[in-house]
Structure formats: C-alpha cells, structure tokens
Amino acid sequence: MSVDRAEVDGAGGNAGFDLVLAGDRVLVDGGFAPAEVGVRDGRIVRVAGPGEGLRGARHVRLGDDEVLLPGLVDTHVHVDEPGRTEWEGFASATRAAAAGGVTTIIDMPLNSIPPTTSVAALAVKRAAAAGRVYVDVGFWGGLVPGNEGDLLPLVEDGVFGFKCFLIDSGVPEFPPVGADEMERAMALLARAGSLLIVHAEDAGVIAAAPHPHSPEYGDFLASRPDAAEGTAIAAVLDAARRTGARAHILHLSSAEPLDAIARARAAGVRISVETCPHYLALAAEDVPTGATAFKCCPPIREGANRDALWRGLEEGVIGTIVSDHSPAPAAMKLAPDGDFATAWGGIASLQLGLPIVWTEARHRGIRLEQVVEWMSAAPARLVGLDGKGAIAPGADADLVAFAPDEAFTVDAAALHHRHPITPYDGRELVGVVRSTWLAGVEVDGTSPRGRLLRAARSEDGAGDGA
C-alpha cells in the first residue's frame, strides 16, 4: 500500500476529502471492482470509478495483492469489563478487533460485574468503556428472572436487544429464565420493537446426559447433545410464533434444527440465526485429548455437522457469522489433567475470525464477497446499524485493507487478546488484515477513537430473516 499526503490548497483542489482510498478490488454493491473512495468527516461521501482522480488531504493506494472491505461487525463479544477485566477488557478486546478487521462490536451483558440487566448497570458498563475503545462498541441488555421491569428502560437507553439463557450461564449473577419468562419478555419486546437473543440449550436434556470428568473430547461432546439445542430452539420458535416477536438464535452449533428453523421462517416466524468460526472450521474428531482450549458451549461437533452448517449458510437459513469471543485466564481455561468438565467453556478468536472463515470458505469455493456479507452487512442489519457493513455513500468510513491470498501461522502470544490461549495456535490460515480505518482514521492501537453506540428506536426493528 502506498500513501501520499497533499496539502489542502484552500481552493477546493482536493474536493474537500479528508481521505481517498483507491484500489483495483474494492467491494462495492456485492462485487469487487476498481474504485476510489472519498471520505469526509468520518463518512464515505463518494465512490467513484477508476481514473476520476479524487483528491484529498491523504491518499492511500492499495497494494496489488489487497482488497478493500467494509469493516466487520461482530455482534457477539464478551468483553467482561468491569468486574472480570482479568478475563478481557475493552482496551485489549477492541485492539484485537481492529487488528482482525472488526470495526464494530456489540458487547454481551454477562461475565462483567454487574451484568447489564438495568439502566444503572449499563451506565457502569459505559463508564468502563468510555475513552478506552479502539472500535465502535454497542451493548446488549440482559434478561434474567425478575428484571422484566428493567427491559423497557434499557430499550429507551439504547441497548440493541436482550440476551437470555435457557440453561445455566456459567456465572451466578446471570441466571437462566424459564420458557414462560422468555415468552412474557418476547411479548413485551415485540411491542417495543426490540429483539431477544437466546442461548438455546435445554437444561433438562443436558441434565439427563452423562457428565464424566474426562480429558476425552468425545465425553464432553456427549454431555451437550444435539437434542439440547433442538429442544430449546423449538421452545424459542413456539414463543416467537405466539408473540410475533423478533428472536435470534445464538451460536448455533448443531445442524439438526435447521429444517425446523426454515419451516418456521417460511410460516412467518421472525427468527434469525448465527453461527461462529469455530463451528465452521473445527471438528470434534480432530480435538486432541485434554485440549481444553477447544471447549465451548454449545460444543464443536463432528465434521459432517460442520458441512451441514455451511449448507445452512449457503441456503440462507443461517444469516450471520460472529465470534462469540469468550476468553478466560489460563487457570480457568487450561484445566488440570485436561478435564473438559471443569475447564471454562469459551473460544478466543476475535482477532482471527475473518481469516478463519475465509480459509475454510475458499476451500469450499465460496467467494470472499459472501463471507463479508455474513460477517459485516448481515450483522449490521441484525442490530439496525444502517451506516455499517457497506462501502457506499453515507456509510461510516469503517474500512479494511485485506490481503486474501497471504498465508500465516497463528501465534497466540502475538494476538492482542488478553490471554495467549486459542485453539488456532499453530494453525495455518489464509488472509491477512493489513490496515483498518475507523471513521476514516487508521487504527494505530494507541489512540482509542471508538464511539459508544446506542440503538435507534424503530417500530418493527431491523433483522436478518426476521
């Protein structure tokens, strides 16, 4: 990439642009083409054809091996600050995000203390993040037993929706709700134009499964069977059907419920679905004994299931790919004797999501344009961020220079995540993020310029497939 700086001549010779980015492969309107992108005051003002000679105070010419993408939008990130900042924090998480081409994250309401289940707790979260974020950050609210009265005030205060668990969350301050509580909340949120996002595993199915202390991944997998997701998702579909609410299934790992989801959507149920890089790139058969860095809930399943998830994406049943970045200190994640039953269940991958998914997608003949749709435009639509996810006039100038053919080997110690633990350590991936711009300014990892976002109110809400 080459960079030229031009003095503002005071006579309009630079067309008033703060930044111009030019390249032979710019992702515009769903395809790559030569283009010049003119940025002013943090937004894209013009997308011009090659040779039009846009001029600005700063001009960046992409390298021949680079493409220009819109910044990714990751709507499923556990930052954990305040209260558990030793797990992850806003500074480290958002540096990692920017290094991975992610320019917007939506922070989950749990693992921090207090959890984001009231307006007062949201204020604590915002205060912890203020002035410390390198990308734009929004917040989910939380649905827990007894806080129905907090939901509408949180909607008014700008959360992007509400997360609930149908099973133990793993932290005592964020307990699960029952099916009746979930449905009451859906009815309330339907009237408010908000969204309920659900960790859909059934507590009863999991309680009936075996739970041995074991370093064998197959034993852990048996403790979180496919039926747990299928049963819980059926309950979500029923509640969404009765209430007319928008509902979203988090981190789908099992392909078995895909047909039921597709039928429900065809019948008018407002349901959307995400999956995660680890479910698309890893397989249960390949997890080494005692390798608890691979533990997450719901679990990584077999290779045939992975293939079926990719089909669900290509068929449009699954609409978004997000990280579910959920790190923990080594003492929690790397359990003694490799015991999957006691290790923390969460995958750290925020910085690696794009190359993980792109490496697998290109092997399957899926275009980079489609990967960006799943990881940028679709998550932005899900939460109603109209200015994100596209290189188009009026959009935020959140942009990524990406080298799609460059290979690298993951070194966990070199990542910006707080802890050097990831199941991808030592894995060869393809695709390198060279530069990331937030609102037209290149992210340098030292100047936190990210904004704290608030959801726009709408009568029906946005939504992917909802």
Side-chain angles (χ1 to χ4, degrees):
M1 156 187 325
S2 62
V3 180
D4 293 320
R5 300 179 187 274
E7 294 298 325
V8 178
D9 61 14
N14 67 354
F17 295 121
D18 305 319
L19 170 68
V20 174
L21 296 110
D24 294 330
R25 291 182 291 169
V26 177
L27 184 55
V28 180
D29 294 330
F32 287 106
E36 298 178 344
V37 180
V39 175
R40 184 189 306 127
D41 296 332
R43 290 189 175 272
I44 298 169
V45 176
R46 187 175 176 195
V47 179
E52 294 197 27
L54 300 188
R55 295 181 61 197
R58 191 165 183 268
H59 189 282
V60 175
R61 173 74 194 182
L62 268 66
D64 293 341
D65 64 338
E66 295 175 338
V67 300
L68 189 67
L69 308 176
L72 304 189
V73 177
D74 192 336
T75 55
H76 195 148
V77 179
H78 294 269
V79 175
D80 307 331
E81 186 177 5
R84 291 192 175 95
T85 311
E86 70 274 15
W87 294 16
E88 188 69 279
F90 282 106
S92 54
T94 56
R95 277 196 195 96
V102 177
T103 52
T104 303
I105 67 170
I106 312 295
D107 176 56
M108 282 292 163
L110 74 156
N111 296 350
S112 58
I113 300 174
T116 316
T117 54
S118 68
V119 168
L122 177 60
V124 172
K125 179 69 73 79
R126 284 186 173 134
R132 305 189 66 240
V133 296
Y134 293 87
V135 302
D136 288 350
V137 178
F139 302 95
W140 294 107
L143 169 65
V144 295
N147 85 322
E148 286 182 26
D150 293 295
L151 302 186
L152 294 184
L154 280 164
V155 171
E156 294 290 339
D157 209 15
V159 299
F160 285 84
F162 296 85
K163 180 177 185 176
C164 70
F165 277 74
L166 299 180
I167 191 171
D168 180 19
S169 72
V171 292
E173 67 276 1
F174 202 96
V177 297
D180 290 345
E181 293 169 301
M182 176 180 70
E183 186 163 339
R184 287 197 303 270
M186 276 192 192
L188 187 65
L189 296 178
R191 295 192 293 272
S194 192
L195 168 68
L196 187 68
I197 63 176
V198 185
H199 182 123
E201 289 183 284
D202 184 80
V205 172
I206 288 179
H211 292 270
H213 288 275
S214 170
E216 298 304 324
Y217 186 77
D219 291 333
F220 168 65
L221 183 60
S223 75
R224 317 287 291 213
D226 292 270
E229 286 187 86
T231 301
I233 288 170
V236 175
L237 296 176
D238 286 344
R241 182 181 297 110
R242 287 190 289 265
T243 62
R246 290 179 60 219
H248 179 74
I249 303 299
L250 296 167
H251 47 49
L252 184 72
S253 85
S254 172
E256 288 190 4
L258 287 173
D259 287 345
I261 292 167
R263 290 193 300 270
R265 188 178 295 163
V269 177
R270 303 175 72 196
I271 189 74
S272 53
V273 186
E274 71 185 33
T275 192
C276 305
H278 38 280
Y279 303 130
L280 298 170
L282 305 175
E285 300 94 320
D286 301 327
V287 177
T289 298
T292 55
F294 288 79
K295 180 181 177 180
C296 55
C297 299
I300 296 159
R301 301 190 187 277
E302 299 85 355
N305 179 87
R306 175 185 59 193
D307 294 342
L309 291 175
W310 278 103
R311 288 194 295 274
L313 282 162
E314 292 186 273
E315 292 169 3
V317 184
I318 304 170
T320 55
I321 304 173
V322 292
S323 68
D324 189 12
H325 178 69
S326 185
M332 297 177 63
K333 186 62 186 167
L334 304 179
D337 303 319
D339 183 7
F340 279 96
T342 59
W344 176 257
I347 299 282
S349 66
L350 180 56
Q351 187 171 335
L352 298 170
L354 179 56
I356 292 166
V357 176
W358 171 231
T359 299
E360 187 70 18
R362 64 186 273 154
H363 174 71
R364 295 169 181 270
I366 297 171
R367 298 178 305 149
L368 181 57
E369 298 96 308
Q370 180 61 73
V371 169
V372 176
E373 164 68 21
W374 290 325
M375 301 186 76
S376 180
R381 287 197 303 272
L382 176 73
V383 295
L385 287 172
D386 295 336
K388 307 288 188 183
I391 300 177
D396 291 351
D398 299 344
L399 301 161
V400 177
F402 182 63
D405 300 319
E406 182 178 348
F408 71 101
T409 300
V410 176
D411 176 4
L415 300 176
H416 292 283
H417 306 158
R418 185 171 294 278
H419 301 287
I421 304 168
T422 177
Y424 303 101
D425 191 28
R427 189 180 181 102
E428 184 173 284
L429 300 175
V430 178
V432 172
V433 172
R434 297 267 179 84
S435 297
T436 300
W437 291 266
L438 182 73
V441 177
E442 189 168 2
V443 181
D444 61 7
T446 61
S447 304
R449 295 188 175 92
R451 299 173 298 168
L452 303 186
L453 306 177
R454 294 173 184 259
R457 294 293 310 281
S458 67
E459 192 65 29
D460 293 321
D464 167 36

